[in-house]
Amino acid sequence: GAVVSQHPSRVICKSGTSVKIECRSLDFQATTMFWYRQFPKKSLMLMATSNEGSKATYEQGVEKDKFLINHASLTLSTLTVTSAHPEDSSFYICSARDLAASGVQETQYFGPGTRLLVL
Amino acid sequence: GENVEQHPSTLSVQEGDSAVIKCTYSDSASNYFPWYKQELGKRPQLIIDIRSNVGEKKDQRIAVTLNKTAKHFSLHITETQPEDSAVYFCAATRAGVTGGGNKLTFGTGTQLKVEL
């Protein structure tokens, strides 16, 4: 089945530094990937839609200069949290769609998530 | 945009009993409704989904029903087991829409606890 990996799984950084999170589709090509943020005991909040070869589409209220997204290939999207602050601490999860799937192409497969702690 | 409401927020059942989680959506154009199970600290896992051209779908102990007229859909888990304990999220989207990326709108989640 479709597998999505995420790296790193956990990161601790100092305030003011930048952190890059990678999302990879391991056995399929994903022209579209999604980035979510999840607070403890809360739902998944869509941050942006990452499109291969074009600019990401950000949800209302998400700062595009703060959360840089790059979808350089059909299997890799990256999210960079720039100048991180403690309020950016959260669980970040990516997902990808397998457009070549013979079944439901709308199905999103999730990565394992990255827990970010900014000190 | 789409708005999905989910109830209840927490649900405790005895092992072997059934559990039902309900969701309502606002966009009548939504036509794909997946359900995800998320264990603590883990990724959401798709457990079942339904498209708007059917009213019910079943996979072993899990079933989903859809009422397009009322714009609500439900997850039914029968013969619950302790390993069913997790947070369950419903979601809705317009499938087959180009450009928009078929964004999923998630419900607020239901913490299911199956007690021995």
Side-chain angles (χ1 to χ4, degrees):
Chain A
V3 178
V4 177
S5 71
Q6 226 174 299
H7 179 80
S9 59
R10 184 183 299 264
V11 58
I12 301 173
C13 69
K14 292 182 179 180
S15 185
T17 60
S18 294
V19 175
K20 179 184 283 189
I21 303 170
E22 293 186 348
C23 178
R24 292 181 185 274
S25 55
L26 297 186
D27 52 359
F28 66 99
Q29 294 183 327
T31 55
T32 304
M33 292 183 174
F34 302 88
W35 286 97
Y36 296 86
R37 184 173 181 177
Q38 187 177 34
F39 292 102
K41 298 186 178 181
K42 297 293 184 181
S43 188
L44 291 94
M45 182 190 78
L46 180 65
M47 298 175 66
T49 302
S50 173
N51 304 296
E52 188 270 334
S54 64
K55 292 183 179 180
T57 303
Y58 289 82
E59 294 301 299
Q60 191 173 10
V62 178
E63 300 176 59
K64 61 180 180 181
D65 295 329
K66 171 76 172 175
F67 299 99
L68 300 178
I69 292 173
N70 185 287
H71 195 147
S73 76
L74 288 173
T75 60
L76 174 64
S77 176
T78 61
L79 168 68
T80 301
V81 182
T82 62
S83 186
H85 291 283
E87 57 265 30
D88 298 323
S89 299
S90 190
F91 192 51
Y92 293 87
I93 310 178
C94 69
S95 71
R97 292 192 300 148
D98 181 1
L99 289 180
S102 58
V104 179
Q105 297 177 346
E106 294 76 22
T107 299
Q108 289 187 26
Y109 299 95
F110 284 84
T114 296
R115 191 163 301 283
L116 171 64
L117 176 61
V118 184
L119 301 177
Chain B
E2 176 65 277
N3 181 54
V4 177
E5 295 189 357
Q6 185 172 346
H7 299 280
S9 57
T10 60
L11 179 59
S12 289
V13 299
Q14 294 294 315
E15 183 180 10
D17 287 350
S18 295
V20 180
I21 302 171
K22 299 181 178 181
C23 289
T24 59
Y25 60 99
S26 61
D27 186 352
S28 58
S30 288
N31 56 10
Y32 174 63
F33 308 92
W35 285 88
Y36 287 87
K37 174 184 180 182
Q38 186 180 29
E39 297 178 9
L40 188 63
K42 301 289 181 64
R43 76 183 81 196
Q45 297 269 21
L46 178 70
I47 57 171
I48 196 167
D49 54 19
I50 191 168
R51 301 188 71 135
S52 59
N53 58 347
V54 297
E56 184 174 359
K57 184 177 178 180
K58 189 174 182 180
D59 182 4
Q60 299 183 338
R61 297 187 296 109
I62 296 174
V64 57
T65 58
L66 171 65
N67 183 326
K68 285 191 298 181
T69 303
K71 289 188 285 189
H72 66 69
F73 55 113
S74 301
L75 177 71
H76 304 253
I77 306 174
T78 59
E79 301 172 30
T80 54
Q81 301 166 3
E83 51 265 37
D84 293 329
S85 297
V87 178
Y88 291 81
F89 292 100
C90 62
T93 188
R94 291 189 196 182
V97 175
T98 58
N102 298 128
K103 298 186 297 183
L104 282 175
T105 300
F106 283 88
T108 49
T110 297
Q111 175 73 64
L112 174 64
K113 183 176 181 181
V114 180
E115 300 175 330
L116 297 172

